Amino acid sequence: MQPDLKLFGTPFHENVTQNTKQKRAIGQAAAELCKSGEGIMIDGGSTTLQMCPFLEGLNLQVLTNSLHIVHALGMQSGTRVLVPGGAVFPEQNIILPLFGEDLTPAFYAPKLFMGAAALNARGLLQDDVVLVASERRFMERAETVIVLADASKFENSSGNVVCPLEEIDILITDARISEQNAQSIESAGIRLIVADT
């Protein structure tokens, strides 16, 4: 019998219904950074999921730990999907290693797209340490780290630090971002893209 695997944080079915207009615009802006035929990594999340419809026809190879993203990309002609090994956490519908082992395919990508539970001066934060370990592994295999986070993520202040701001290359958010938060992002050397909703 499989143990009841749960992660700290908001369940996916709740998260996916919040800020949907902004997340869709962010997903579209993220997809526009992809080049035809390349390999990319997409970390699980309600905002990264919004990229999927806009990847149609790009003939990408995608490594993802999200079964929602696997399902969304699985019907696209020409899109090849890879998944890491691990256990399925049903509330998030995500595949993560249980004991810190590295079960990720030997895959290296020019771009990693990832979400966040929160963003602040300490960096990118997630609610659960299991997510942190998985995202760090993805980051080690990517040339460019691209974070997709609607502006509400700047209102959250607690969590486990995935990385300092300086390790993020590009942040895609929406027009609700405050001038102060935009300045702190750009001061950290991050390219800021504000998606048009």
Side-chain angles (χ1 to χ4, degrees):
M1 185 168 138
Q2 183 172 333
D4 189 18
L5 300 173
K6 291 189 175 182
L7 297 172
F8 289 110
T10 307
F12 186 90
H13 70 273
E14 292 177 24
N15 217 0
V16 77
T17 64
Q18 299 170 0
N19 303 302
T20 53
K21 182 179 175 184
Q22 290 83 6
K23 289 177 180 180
R24 183 170 174 80
I26 291 167
Q28 182 173 5
E32 288 170 1
L33 297 176
C34 298
K35 296 177 182 173
S36 180
E38 74 180 346
I40 63 170
M41 293 184 286
I42 306 177
D43 190 45
S46 60
T47 310
T48 53
L49 176 63
Q50 295 300 320
M51 293 177 64
C52 296
F54 304 104
L55 299 177
E56 180 86 50
L58 291 179
N59 298 313
L60 300 178
Q61 183 170 226
V62 180
L63 172 64
T64 184
N65 55 9
S66 165
L67 294 178
H68 290 291
I69 292 173
V70 169
H71 179 72
L73 296 178
M75 301 306 289
Q76 291 183 5
S77 175
T79 302
R80 183 175 177 198
V81 183
L82 306 172
V83 294
V88 175
F89 287 72
E91 274 193 343
Q92 301 291 349
N93 221 13
I94 195 168
I95 304 166
L96 299 170
L98 281 177
F99 306 108
E101 69 270 65
D102 189 354
L103 302 175
T104 308
F107 188 82
Y108 188 79
K111 299 178 185 82
L112 163 62
F113 297 89
M114 58 193 291
L119 281 163
N120 60 34
R122 295 189 186 278
L124 187 154
L125 295 92
Q126 288 291 10
D127 292 316
D128 198 293
V129 291
V130 178
L131 279 174
V132 172
S134 176
E135 290 181 344
R136 288 299 312 174
R137 284 189 201 93
F138 273 14
M139 290 177 73
E140 289 165 4
R141 292 172 160 83
E143 290 175 27
T144 304
V145 175
I146 304 165
V147 174
L148 285 61
D150 71 83
S152 71
K153 301 303 168 100
F154 291 94
E155 298 165 13
N156 302 337
S157 59
S158 64
N160 302 283
V161 178
V162 176
C163 67
L165 291 177
E166 291 74 18
E167 290 187 31
I168 300 169
D169 298 296
I170 301 171
L171 171 69
I172 308 174
T173 190
D174 63 81
R176 299 172 302 159
I177 187 172
S178 70
E179 188 174 332
Q180 180 182 353
N181 285 330
Q183 287 176 352
S184 68
I185 290 299
E186 291 174 332
S187 297
I190 301 169
R191 177 185 168 197
L192 178 63
I193 297 174
V194 177
D196 183 13
T197 54

